[in-house]
Each structure stands twice: as structure tokens, then as C-alpha cells.
């Protein structure tokens, strides 16, 4: 196991890291799941920043696999990196590459921001229905490859439940 990868249970909104990743939707205007929790805990500055990103950069919404950063508002994290994972029932042959792109673009954004740590939720595995084992392998492999490029970044995978963490750990061995 890579020393710069941490796997644990918890609430991502409480992570004291430079950037946490939000499993958003392309509207960037909030939703349920981890997205709802991040906006609730982080306060209105995040939504305001998301509105600005929509207006100035993505009037048609953030495409699947892309990532953008905003303030972390009231969160302990300095930044929220919003990414849109694929919806499993409609991503077809592109599911794996789109999910991998969500992780990779978020990692690149964190490095661009000068971050040395980042925390991820299990993107797409809730409302978007991505099978957890398959998503775990893609997430882990993408992070492992990225770190192998030599980036100085500590990456945490945060699971809302012990069960989610176990599935991930089992899938990546
Ligand atoms: N901390 C860590 N993980 C969490 C938390 C939390 N506070 N809350 C939920 N999770 P989901 P998706 C886990 O559904 O599948 C939203 O409406 C959760 O248990 O949040 O990418 C967006 O606006 C699951 O394992 O994201 C989009 O419309 C994981 O986070 C849509 O949902 C991801 O579940 C995105 O769906």
C-alpha cells in the first residue's frame, strides 16, 4: 500500500485537508448525497462561487469527468473541488474512463492549487449507481498512477460507512 494513500471512514465535510472533492452534478447548484452535505456544512459562499463558475466558464454545465475548484466556505478544507462522475446506467463504454477522469482532473486541480493533501468521497457510487467494487479499482488505480508521476500529495478516500470502506479495501487487493 502506498504511504501517501489513506483509506478511512468519516464525514468528508470534517476533513482538515487543503481540498475535498464533491461528487456534484453538472448544474453545480447542489443536490443530495455528499453534495448536499458539503453545501450544508460549507455555507452559501460555495453555492455563490459555483454560480460564478457556471456563468463565467460553464454556462451549459460542467461536463462529466471535469473538475473545478471553489472556496471551501466554512469548511475546514480550504477548497472544494467539484467533479461530475458518470451516471452508471447511461455511460455505456465510457464509464471507466469518465470515472477515472473525475479522479485525475480533481488530482490535477489540487496540485495546481498548491495543495499537498486531498480527500475524495466514493464518486458516482451513491445516487449515480456505479458498482462499488468496480469504482474502487478505478479510483485506486487512477490515484496510484498519478502519485507514481511523483506528485507530493497525500490522498484520502473517505467512506461514509464501514461497509463502504471494506468493499473498497477488498476490491483493490
Ligand atoms: N462524507 C463522505 N461520503 C459521503 C458523505 C459524507 N458526508 N455523504 C455521502 N457520502 P452520492 P454520486 C457517500 O450519491 O453517486 C448528488 O445529488 C455516499 O455514501 O453523494 O456521485 C449530486 O448533486 C456514496 O458512497 O454521489 C449528484 O446529482 C458517495 O458519497 C449525484 O448526487 C457518493 O454518493 C451524484 O451522485
Amino acid at each position: 500500500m502506498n504511504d501517501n494513500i489513506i483509506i478511512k471512514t468519516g464525514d468528508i465535510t470534517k476533513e482538515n485537508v487543503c481540498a475535498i472533492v464533491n461528487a456534484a452534478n453538472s448544474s453545480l447548484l447542489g443536490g443530495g448525497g455528499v453534495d448536499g452535505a458539503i453545501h450544508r456544512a460549507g455555507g452559501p459562499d460555495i453555492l455563490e462561487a459555483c454560480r460564478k463558475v457556471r456563468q463565467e466558464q460553464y454556462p451549459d454545465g460542467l461536463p462529466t469527468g471535469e473538475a473545478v475548484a471553489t472556496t471551501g466556505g466554512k469548511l475546514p478544507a480550504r477548497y472544494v473541488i467539484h467533479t461530475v462522475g458518470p451516471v452508471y446506467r447511461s455511460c455505456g463504454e465510457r464509464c471507466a474512463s469518465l470515472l477515472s477522469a473525475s479522479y485525475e482532473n480533481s488530482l490535477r486541480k489540487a496540485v495546481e492549487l498548491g495543495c499537498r493533501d486531498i480527500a475524495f468521497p466514493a464518486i458516482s457510487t451513491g445516487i449515480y449507481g456505479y458498482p462499488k467494487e468496480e469504482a474502487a479499482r478505478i479510483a485506486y488505480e487512477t490515484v496510484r498512477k498519478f502519485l507514481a508521476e511523483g506528485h507530493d500529495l497525500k490522498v484520502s478516500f473517505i467512506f461514509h460507512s464501514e461497509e463502504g470502506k471494506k468493499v473498497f479495501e477488498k476490491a483493490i487487493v
Side-chain angles (χ1 to χ4, degrees):
M1 174 71 66
N2 187 313
D3 281 350
N4 287 320
I5 298 179
I6 297 154
I7 300 164
K8 61 181 194 179
T9 53
D11 175 356
I12 201 164
T13 66
K14 305 220 157 57
E15 284 297 301
N16 195 357
V17 288
C18 181
I20 64 167
V21 175
N22 181 17
N25 60 65
S26 66
S27 82
L28 293 179
L29 301 178
V34 73
D35 193 6
I38 288 172
H39 280 282
R40 269 195 304 280
D45 287 359
I46 300 177
L47 188 59
E48 188 52 41
C50 284
R51 287 215 171 91
K52 224 169 152 196
V53 169
R54 278 294 306 276
Q55 266 169 17
E56 293 172 5
Q57 299 177 58
Y58 293 102
D60 299 329
L62 185 68
T64 304
E66 300 283 317
V68 293
T70 67
T71 172
K74 294 187 292 183
L75 297 171
R78 183 153 174 214
Y79 302 105
V80 176
I81 296 175
H82 307 261
T83 188
V84 183
V87 176
Y88 193 70
R89 69 179 137 69
S90 59
C91 53
E93 284 176 1
R94 301 177 66 217
C95 290
S97 61
L98 287 170
L99 186 61
S100 180
S102 274
Y103 280 93
E104 189 177 344
N105 286 324
S106 299
L107 291 162
R108 296 213 180 278
K109 191 59 77 180
V111 167
E112 218 176 279
L113 292 165
C115 286
R116 297 183 63 186
D117 50 11
I118 181 172
F120 281 97
I123 300 167
S124 283
T125 66
I127 294 163
Y128 281 180
Y130 212 112
K132 290 184 167 61
E133 294 81 5
E134 219 176 301
R137 283 189 283 271
I138 294 162
Y140 186 75
E141 193 52 22
T142 305
V143 167
R144 199 194 56 71
K145 261 195 196 151
F146 185 81
L147 294 179
E149 288 176 12
H151 299 286
D152 179 20
L153 196 64
K154 214 169 207 116
V155 180
S156 301
F157 289 105
I158 311 294
F159 294 92
H160 216 32
S161 67
E162 190 60 43
E163 175 61 21
K165 176 174 170 263
K166 275 195 191 136
V167 170
F168 186 92
E169 284 172 330
K170 218 175 142 195
I172 63 168
V173 286

